[in-house]
């Protein structure tokens, strides 16, 4: 089979998944497996999440175990990557507790491979289950290597980590130190999101969270380039979400006037 046919099937899988036709999406993914995707961790990860969706999202522990097994299998095949040069680490830093920082070093050696996608999906699954600490730890690890991630995945990481920080902070900002820590961590994420980004990248299957954050599971040989109108819509949706998250952050910091301004900017995008 040609690369174009794989790309076409991957695009179809994404389209079916996006409209909730999980059975059809599974059929496309199974075709990709027959085309040589049996050892492709991205295709296998898509299969896990699509089967999870088809089953009504009722067996998160099974999905977690399967994603973890895929991650371990990928690490065994590829070996551990060496440390990432400092120049490729996130330019904006998050303030981590000493214990979290030590744990991050244990996992940070494999996030520049396809394992990063599996780690992200695992973080999204933890978020679904309201296990914010576990999700946050994985996302901190990924953000530390934000410069070597695929751009679309990096954007997903930032939005999901914002979701985690927002959920964790509600009702828990009691001191100036709490406020400063929350402000600095969210500022680092927003600074990355405010950089120029390329839109119209290859399509990826997504699993919606309660705050419209997605699990990114790029299909092998993803869809081709989008049309100009498609890129414009994607940019508008991204800008809308960015203003919305900035409004949430400002509100938790007690900056009501600034929060209202961000909400107004968000609403004006689709008027």
């Amino acid at each position: 089979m040609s690369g174009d046919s794989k790309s076409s099937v991957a695009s179809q899988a994404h389209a079916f998944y996006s409209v909730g036709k999980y059975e059809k999406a599974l059929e496309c993914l199974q075709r990709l497996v027959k085309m040589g995707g049996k050892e492709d961790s991205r295709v296998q990860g898509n299969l896990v999440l699509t089967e999870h969706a088809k089953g009504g999202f009722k067996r998160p522990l099974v999905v977690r175990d399967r994603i973890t097994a895929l991650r371990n299998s990928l690490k065994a095949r590829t070996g551990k990557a060496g440390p990432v040069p400092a120049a490729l680490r996130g330019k904006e830093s998050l303030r981590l507790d000493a214990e979290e920082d030590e744990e991050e070093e244990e996992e940070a050696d494999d996030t520049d491979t396809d394992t990063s996608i599996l780690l992200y999906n695992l973080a999204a699954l933890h978020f679904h289950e309201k296990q914010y600490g576990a999700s946050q730890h994985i996302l901190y690890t990924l953000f530390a290597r934000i410069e070597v991630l695929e751009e679309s995945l990096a954007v997903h990481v930032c939005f999901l980590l914002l979701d985690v920080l927002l959920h964790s902070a509600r009702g828990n900002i009691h001191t100036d130190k709490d406020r400063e820590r929350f402000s600095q961590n969210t500022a680092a994420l927003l600074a990355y999101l405010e950089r120029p980004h390329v839109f119209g990248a290859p399509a990826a299957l997504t699993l919606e969270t309660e705050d419209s954050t997605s699990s990114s599971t790029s299909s092998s040989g993803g869809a081709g380039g989008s049309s100009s109108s498609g890129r414009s819509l994607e940019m508008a949706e991204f800008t809308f979400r960015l203003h919305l998250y900035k409004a949430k952050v400002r509100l938790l910091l007690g900056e009501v006037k600034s929060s209202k301004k961000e909400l107004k900017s968000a609403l004006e995008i689709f008027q």
Side-chain angles (χ1 to χ4, degrees), residues 263-271:
L263 280 176
K264 182 179 179 181
S265 296
L267 294 173
E268 287 174 349
I269 291 172
F270 291 112
Q271 288 182 349

Side-chain angles (χ1 to χ4, degrees), residues 1 25 32-33 53 73 96 134 140 158 194 214 226 242 251 256:
M1 294 288 183
L32 281 175
V33 171
S73 176
L96 307 179
Y140 274 155
C158 289
E194 287 174 335
S214 304
S226 303
L242 181 56
L251 187 61
V256 178

Side-chain angles (χ1 to χ4, degrees), residues 238-254:
F238 170 84
T239 306
F240 173 82
R241 289 184 67 195
L242 181 56
H243 282 301
L244 192 61
Y245 278 79
K246 288 170 73 174
K248 292 179 180 181
V249 169
R250 301 289 183 266
L251 187 61
L252 276 178
L253 290 173

